[in-house]
Amino acid sequence: MMTKSCLALAFLCLAFVLPLRAFDWETATVRGREYVTLKSFCQFYAFGYSAPSGNDRFTARNAGHSISLKLGNSDIYIDGVHFVASFPVEGGDHDWLVSRMDVIKLFEPVLRPSEVSGRHTIRGVVIDAGHGGSDNGATSRYGSEKSYTLDTANRLAKILNDAGLKTVFTRRSDTFVDLYERAHIASLYSDYCFVSIHYNSASQEARGLETYCLSPRGAASTSSAYLTRGDIQKLPGNDDDTQNIVLAAMVHSEIIKLNPGDSSADRGVKRARFVVIKQNVLPAILVEGGFVSNRMEAARVNRPDYRQSLAQDIARGVIKFINVMGDRRIALPGASAAPVAQAVVPTAPAGLAHDPANGTIKTAKPAVAGDNATGTTPKKSGKGKKTSSSMPTPPAPATVVKTDANAKPSTPPASSLNLAEPSTPTPSADGDKAAPEPDEPPTVSTTPPSSSRHK
Ligand SMILES: [Zn+2]
């Protein structure tokens, strides 16, 4: 009996010990950048793996998630939601390669948000209505972006307040608030997260929804073809890289439900260094709620029920984020009814008279060196734009080397790969000459936006 008990105990111990064995990542270096093999990636996350081929998309599932990747492409899908990776999938000697930067800064936090470091209870939301005062933002025949964003902000606050969350506004009237001041207001609320609301403008054809969070240090923004020196600097918002992407993922996966069955309207979770997110010390995102430059979407954005649905979906995503980041279990507000896009008689944006309980926070404008975000003129043209369809030049064959990583399957790849932060690559010669990144979202258009906007 005693022997049997000992054996049982031994097996029990083994069962706990075995999953903790070291995980051997297969890594590779391509043009100085570090990657893991797709097989290794799939093994770590328990995705079914079979060698990918040609131009086909690689799709795989594990117990809770699905992924879809394409060779030479930055457009990835997690659970059907579009993300634009920092680097395209590369081709190696025997297998596709996923950049370590994207494993650490995208896949890991999105696939396992409960493992994100620094999680803490979040008590409220700083809501940033884009533009205001002399800065109209984008305009359509129906109205101006600054009115739509303020209205959406008020609606969002009401929903969040009803759910028991506190809210603060960076502006609550038609006033101009400097971008750095908006980020400064956020810094006064250490246990909040930050949501900036905008509506988009580009060509008449451009349409759909996109959600931005800060580019990781060492990665170019989605709109930029080159890495510049500025991309290598660590920004205040980079302390929250993993929380930023989780917040973006959760909000974006909700708002795309406004276009059911219309995958082309999912423009993706993208990266940028907009002032309000790069200077932000809170988990921060910027939502683009539709194109007022598109006739159909302009009419839709003008409708109060659309803005209400957008606010509701943003609230659902924010609450999901808050629930996974801390010990709160807040019930989700109902899903939106997904109003259809249709032409309507122009009316003034409704709901602007809404008077939320929170007062405007007055702060002194912080002195920030190189503050060039107060003007309404974009800093740079669309030079070097990269769209989701752009392909990189074929990669040089990679050398795959086995590493003796000391990771465990139950720990995040960041530690598995034995590097908390990806190394910072050297910017290209072209990148060095490039102007600073514009405070403009990337567009699919070759026509510059007609309105002056800044974030
Ligand atoms: Zn805007």
Side-chain angles (χ1 to χ4, degrees):
M1 283 300 286
M2 196 61 184
T3 311
K4 275 186 179 175
S5 298
C6 285
L7 270 175
L9 192 64
F11 275 116
L12 197 66
C13 290
L14 214 58
F16 281 107
V17 169
L18 278 179
L20 300 180
R21 73 188 187 282
F23 182 83
D24 291 328
W25 285 93
E26 255 190 341
T27 63
T29 303
V30 182
R31 297 188 296 276
R33 184 162 295 129
E34 295 167 23
Y35 291 79
V36 302
T37 63
L38 182 59
K39 183 178 183 182
S40 188
F41 173 85
C42 287
Q43 283 174 340
F44 186 85
Y45 288 106
F47 284 113
Y49 174 82
S50 57
S53 63
N55 287 324
D56 294 341
R57 271 203 165 266
F58 173 87
T59 57
R61 308 187 72 86
N62 67 11
H65 299 285
S66 67
I67 55 165
S68 173
L69 310 168
K70 197 173 191 315
L71 183 63
N73 201 296
S74 300
D75 295 299
I76 62 150
Y77 293 83
I78 301 176
D79 302 332
V81 179
H82 183 193
F83 294 80
V84 183
S86 292
F87 300 101
V89 173
E90 294 280 354
D93 286 341
H94 308 292
D95 196 5
W96 290 4
L97 303 169
V98 181
S99 86
R100 201 188 63 206
M101 174 84 79
D102 286 310
V103 174
I104 295 170
K105 301 291 187 178
L106 198 167
F107 286 104
E108 169 64 14
V110 172
L111 291 171
R112 303 196 302 178
S114 60
E115 302 280 343
V116 164
S117 64
R119 289 184 303 119
H120 64 282
T121 298
I122 292 169
R123 304 184 192 287
V125 183
V126 177
I127 302 175
D128 178 51
H131 311 278
S134 59
D135 174 17
N136 289 326
T139 55
S140 74
R141 59 194 290 197
Y142 304 113
S144 61
E145 182 186 357
K146 67 173 182 178
S147 302
Y148 296 137
T149 60
L150 184 58
D151 174 66
T152 311
N154 284 328
R155 293 172 185 276
L156 175 60
K158 172 84 167 62
I159 299 164
L160 293 172
N161 292 156
D162 289 348
L165 287 162
K166 293 187 265 187
T167 51
V168 167
F169 289 78
T170 55
R171 73 174 176 99
R172 52 180 311 223
S173 61
D174 183 17
T175 51
F176 179 86
V177 181
D178 174 75
L179 296 171
Y180 285 87
E181 184 173 354
R182 293 171 192 245
H184 175 69
I185 290 168
S187 73
L188 303 174
Y189 297 87
S190 59
D191 52 357
Y192 281 47
C193 62
F194 180 95
V195 177
S196 184
I197 299 167
H198 285 255
Y199 290 93
N200 229 330
S201 180
S203 69
Q204 292 180 4
E205 292 76 33
R207 54 186 282 276
L209 300 163
E210 51 195 19
T211 305
Y212 286 89
C213 66
L214 180 61
S215 317
R217 180 186 181 200
S221 296
T222 305
S223 65
S224 175
Y226 304 105
L227 198 63
T228 66
R229 291 216 176 274
D231 298 340
I232 292 172
Q233 291 171 3
K234 184 171 178 295
L235 297 161
N238 285 130
D239 285 338
D240 293 317
D241 273 346
T242 51
Q243 296 194 27
N244 291 338
I245 189 73
V246 174
L247 178 57
M250 290 189 166
V251 167
H252 193 70
S253 63
E254 291 296 322
I255 65 174
I256 58 172
K257 293 173 185 169
L258 288 163
N259 302 300
D262 184 2
S263 59
S264 64
D266 175 3
R267 298 170 64 89
V269 172
K270 297 182 174 181
R271 305 289 197 165
R273 291 186 171 83
F274 300 139
V275 171
V276 292
I277 55 177
K278 78 178 182 183
Q279 293 300 122
N280 216 303
V281 297
L282 304 180
I285 58 167
L286 186 149
V287 175
E288 291 280 2
F291 282 80
V292 297
S293 49
N294 176 290
R295 220 176 67 175
M296 297 284 275
E297 291 201 353
R300 193 164 83 149
V301 167
N302 191 54
R303 283 167 49 181
D305 65 333
Y306 174 78
R307 297 195 299 276
Q308 180 68 23
S309 295
L310 179 65
Q312 194 140 326
D313 288 341
I314 293 172
R316 284 173 61 85
V318 167
I319 290 171
K320 281 186 174 179
F321 170 76
I322 289 173
N323 284 345
V324 78
M325 284 298 127
D327 54 9
R328 303 190 73 159
R329 292 295 172 265
I330 302 169
L332 294 177
S336 73
V340 293
Q342 60 184 42
V344 293
V345 178
T347 55
L352 297 182
H354 177 72
D355 185 25
N358 302 284
T360 302
I361 309 297
K362 284 283 176 201
T363 60
K365 179 188 170 187
V368 181
D371 180 352
N372 53 5
T374 51
T376 54
T377 308
K379 284 184 284 183
K380 184 193 156 200
S381 73
K383 176 172 175 266
K385 276 191 198 304
K386 181 179 71 177
T387 69
S388 59
S389 60
S390 69
M391 291 285 184
T393 50
T399 307
V400 177
V401 290
K402 272 248 182 189
T403 62
D404 57 346
N406 54 358
K408 305 157 184 131
S410 58
T411 57
S415 57
S416 314
L417 291 167
N418 204 21
L419 281 162
E421 279 287 323
S423 56
T424 49
T426 310
S428 66
D430 284 343
D432 277 349
K433 288 177 213 143
E437 181 176 355
D439 280 333
E440 284 282 335
T443 72
V444 293
S445 167
T446 52
T447 313
S450 56
S451 65
S452 57
R453 295 180 298 129
H454 66 136
K455 299 177 175 66

